[in-house]
Amino acid sequence: LLDGVFACFLGGHAAPHSFGGSKRGHSFPEFLAPTCGAGGADFVVGIDSRAELLAEDGTVTRVGSNTVFSFTPNQREIQLQKGSVLFHSPTGKGGGTISTAGATAAVLGTTIMVSATPNGGFKLLVLEGKAKATLPSGKVTILEAGQATYLLPGSTNFAQISSFRLQSQVAGSSLVQGFKTPLPSMGRIEQFTRDQERRIAQNRDDQRDGPPRGNRRDDDRRDDNRRGGPDDGRPRRGPDGGGAQGP
């Protein structure tokens, strides 16, 4: 997946800062490469730094600050030890996988964000498309745009899938907004965001209008039940048992 991008590190032909600049305009990331070889490489993104890694097939990997990750050349997999990663793989390009100590996230032609802690904590958010989260036990969870799940350290089950506000997440994420070049999938993310906002507005309108009233027959039936049953034409006795009730 990223063998072409990281050829400079594996071959030692380029400086580590050659992948961009920080939000203040300075060069980044602060990469450390303690091991480089045929089996792969480990990388560290320093404090207040970010990295964007581009592959020839259009796959984009954005790495947040204080992130430790590795990859194996010629394989579509990133091993995320800690930190956060945004991963976008175009539809039909084979997807990709982000493996952590607690779970694995598979990209299915989509854009996702994954966070991990060294002790097995895991969080997955889907910005557009679909993604698959898999536990070591083989249990699988499928998520769609605007959905998230997480795994607490030591837990053997994902938390229940929850919804998050795409608009807020996208606007406040440095992995989405903190780069000069927009994500290739930004148009799709914005479309999913608009769709979600329309649903939220519709639900708000429905709640303000209140539940729909039943039809006339249902209302009449409820009134009959309150009176003790439908009017069958027979006189009703009053509470003293003697004669029909007056008006």
Side-chain angles (χ1 to χ4, degrees):
L1 170 62
L2 301 175
D3 53 315
V5 174
F6 283 114
C8 56
F9 293 104
L10 297 176
H13 299 305
H17 64 268
S18 61
F19 286 104
S22 74
K23 58 187 177 183
R24 295 187 179 90
H26 302 299
S27 62
F28 75 89
E30 300 168 8
F31 270 127
L32 303 178
T35 59
C36 290
D42 293 334
F43 298 93
V44 177
V45 179
I47 298 174
D48 198 27
S49 299
R50 296 181 301 276
E52 182 177 56
L53 317 172
L54 307 175
E56 292 182 358
D57 65 359
T59 297
V60 177
T61 305
R62 290 181 173 179
V63 187
S65 62
N66 291 322
T67 295
V68 180
F69 70 102
S70 61
F71 77 99
T72 302
N74 303 318
Q75 293 187 11
R76 305 184 68 87
E77 181 177 2
I78 293 175
Q79 294 82 40
L80 179 62
Q81 299 174 37
K82 72 169 186 176
S84 57
V85 169
L86 181 150
F87 191 90
H88 163 70
S89 178
T91 302
K93 296 297 183 180
T97 302
I98 300 174
S99 298
T100 73
T104 298
V107 178
L108 307 176
T110 183
T111 305
I112 66 173
M113 296 176 66
V114 176
S115 300
T117 58
N119 59 351
F122 170 89
K123 185 176 182 179
L124 168 64
L125 298 90
V126 182
L127 301 184
E128 58 94 7
K130 294 183 179 181
K132 179 174 68 174
T134 306
L135 290 169
S137 64
K139 184 176 180 179
V140 172
T141 297
I142 303 295
L143 291 83
E144 298 182 346
Q147 293 184 331
T149 190
Y150 63 88
L151 180 73
L152 294 175
S155 178
T156 57
N157 288 297
F158 289 118
Q160 184 176 0
I161 293 176
S162 59
S163 298
F164 65 92
R165 195 82 173 259
L166 279 164
Q167 187 177 71
S168 302
Q169 179 66 39
V170 170
S173 172
S174 62
L175 290 179
V176 177
Q177 304 292 349
F179 295 81
K180 294 180 179 179
T181 304
L183 284 168
S185 58
M186 201 62 205
R188 283 175 53 82
I189 293 173
E190 291 172 347
Q191 182 61 57
F192 278 106
T193 299
R194 288 192 294 269
D195 292 344
Q196 185 186 64
E197 290 300 311
R198 279 195 292 267
R199 291 195 299 270
I200 291 173
Q202 182 63 54
N203 290 338
R204 188 184 299 118
D205 291 342
D206 291 344
Q207 292 173 4
R208 184 172 57 247
D209 294 340
R213 288 181 56 83
N215 57 37
R216 182 67 180 172
R217 181 175 298 175
D218 290 338
D219 292 340
D220 291 344
R221 187 178 295 114
R222 283 193 292 270
D223 290 341
D224 290 340
N225 289 337
R226 284 194 294 270
R227 293 195 301 266
D231 186 0
D232 56 7
R234 292 179 295 180
R236 303 289 181 187
R237 293 188 176 274
D240 59 356
Q245 296 185 23

